[in-house]
Amino acid sequence: MPRTSTAAIAKRLVHLRDSGGAVALGRVLTLVVPTDDEHAEAAIEAANDASREHPCRILVLAAADERGTSRLDGQIRVGGDAGASEVIVLRSYGPLTGHGASMVIPLLLPDAPVVVWWPGEAPEHPATDPIGSMAQRRITDAAASPDPVAALHRLAAHHVPGDTDFAWSRLTLWRGLLAAAFDQVPADVVTSATVTGASNSPSTELLAAWLALALQCPVTRVSGPAGGGIVGVRLERPSGVIELARPDSRVATLTQPGQPERRLALPRRSNRDCLAEELRRLDPDDIYGEVLTHGLAVLDAEADSHVGLAEAHATGRGPDVAEQLRHGAELDAAAHVRAAAIQATPSVTDKAPATAPDRTPEKVSQKATVGKDAS
């Protein structure tokens, strides 16, 4: 629908509803996605995948060329191209790119919650943004900013209940594994913790802040090369060390006192997984808010809480990544050997069955006759 208006798009949606059924009745929310024209398709793909779990109306504000005259091009996607949702793409040009809220309001589902997701760089104050102010939940991604850690601290300064970030969603599996490790005996306290990750990883910052707030112990943030994610967590306890190491961003090794080492699949989470998780709840995430506003401050207040990887390794506080990779490869090789040995062992069903006695009627009759004669 080139050179159109929101009124014309709304009429087209009504026509589609009348001809194809009341599809809006199955939508649980409206997801607004402000982005640019270059990254619109990637955002639509992630939103479509998440909509299979949360059917919704997706409004994509794809800002195109800001120069020239104002123009709006619309596109409506339903059916197989829209997953379990209906996607409305609004490509704006000229001064119209700065009026996204005016384009969104006529297309919101009535009496349905509104969620805003910024897949790229988010506004400094999401809650006061014209689009963010109409939403119950505002989802950002600090990792998409040029300086992710600085963006995380800006979000902390302007946090409002209802705000959340993908940097926190990417920690769900890490937090679950670490919390489960404390279910094992003995239940003693953690005296110190070390969190290692990329220097520009906001998830590593949040994980260290969460541990500092939850465990009330000194936490050291070890910064590795930029561009990666979380490398590992080490928790010192009187009974022994709990360590969760993931040097290759794919498979982690969990080490606990009195327990065998375990290899766990722990890949970096996709935008689809993070978005689907955040859409499961529309109430404020109080734990995230507390970690963001108080945990980061606790972490920054600790003396010598941020060190480099080389310094940490030299003082025994940081991991030897090369050694972790080698040890993980040894564990995988040993597991393959055990699996091959189990597979090569013949099972009970593979063995030849024992010869059963011949119970044909002729044989039974012969045996009965012999017995009668003998008597």
Side-chain angles (χ1 to χ4, degrees):
M1 302 174 65
R3 297 185 179 274
T4 186
S5 64
T6 54
I9 295 174
K11 290 181 180 179
R12 181 62 175 169
L13 287 171
V14 172
H15 173 71
L16 291 173
R17 182 186 63 192
D18 293 339
S19 60
V23 294
L25 296 180
R27 308 305 182 217
V28 298
L29 57 89
T30 301
L31 177 62
V32 184
V33 186
T35 182
D36 53 41
D37 196 22
E38 181 181 356
H39 301 93
E41 289 301 325
I44 292 172
E45 182 179 358
N48 275 344
D49 290 342
S51 73
R52 289 178 169 85
E53 183 177 340
H54 311 278
C56 58
R57 172 176 287 180
I58 302 173
L59 302 178
V60 181
L61 301 177
D65 194 352
E66 297 181 358
R67 299 170 295 179
T69 59
S70 294
R71 188 176 95 242
L72 176 63
D73 293 345
Q75 184 183 48
I76 301 175
R77 303 183 186 182
V78 294
D81 293 335
S85 64
E86 50 190 2
V87 180
I88 305 170
V89 184
L90 304 175
R91 287 186 170 86
S92 55
Y93 300 83
L96 190 60
T97 58
H99 299 276
S102 301
M103 294 183 287
V104 164
I105 292 175
L107 301 174
L108 297 177
L109 288 175
D111 301 324
V114 178
V115 179
V116 180
W117 169 42
W118 287 274
E121 189 171 2
E124 185 172 339
H125 198 328
T128 60
D129 181 79
I131 299 176
S133 61
M134 66 178 70
Q136 284 77 26
R137 291 274 284 173
R138 294 162 294 275
I139 306 172
T140 57
D141 189 0
S145 301
D147 190 343
V149 177
L152 195 65
H153 284 80
R154 286 197 302 269
L155 292 173
H158 301 289
H159 176 74
V160 173
D163 294 351
T164 190
D165 194 271
F166 275 3
W168 179 250
S169 310
R170 296 185 182 104
L171 293 180
T172 301
L173 299 179
W174 284 87
R175 293 190 296 122
L177 290 172
L178 291 173
F182 285 96
D183 292 338
Q184 306 293 331
V185 294
D188 50 359
V189 298
V190 177
T191 57
S192 64
T194 302
V195 181
T196 305
S199 59
N200 61 344
S201 170
S203 295
T204 307
E205 293 286 332
L206 285 179
L207 182 56
W210 175 64
L211 291 174
L213 197 63
L215 300 178
Q216 297 294 313
C217 69
V219 178
T220 301
R221 163 69 163 95
V222 180
S223 299
I230 304 172
V231 175
V233 178
R234 182 182 178 89
L235 305 177
E236 301 282 350
R237 300 194 304 174
S239 60
V241 175
I242 296 177
E243 187 170 16
L244 183 60
R246 188 192 65 176
D248 60 355
S249 298
R250 294 181 295 107
V251 182
T253 303
L254 177 61
T255 305
Q256 299 175 251
Q259 299 287 334
E261 291 182 306
R262 289 187 291 167
R263 295 284 281 170
L264 308 168
L266 194 58
R268 302 186 68 180
R269 303 189 75 189
S270 64
N271 286 347
R272 182 268 175 212
D273 293 335
C274 294
L275 182 60
E277 177 182 330
E278 292 300 337
L279 293 180
R280 292 186 191 122
R281 58 181 303 169
L282 296 177
D283 58 317
D285 191 338
D286 296 331
I287 298 179
Y288 164 73
E290 188 175 0
V291 171
L292 186 69
T293 57
H294 297 92
L296 288 177
V298 171
L299 184 66
D300 294 338
E302 295 181 2
D304 196 27
S305 61
H306 289 68
V307 298
L309 185 61
E311 178 185 352
H313 180 55
T315 57
R317 291 186 293 174
D320 187 341
V321 178
E323 174 61 24
Q324 288 179 346
L325 289 170
R326 184 193 63 78
H327 183 58
E330 290 179 350
L331 293 176
D332 291 341
H336 287 310
V337 171
R338 289 194 298 269
I342 293 174
Q343 188 175 7
T345 303
S347 62
V348 176
T349 57
D350 294 335
K351 296 179 180 179
T355 303
D358 194 347
R359 304 294 297 175
T360 60
E362 293 79 8
K363 295 294 184 181
V364 173
S365 177
Q366 290 176 6
K367 291 181 180 180
T369 303
V370 171
K372 182 177 181 181
D373 295 340
S375 62

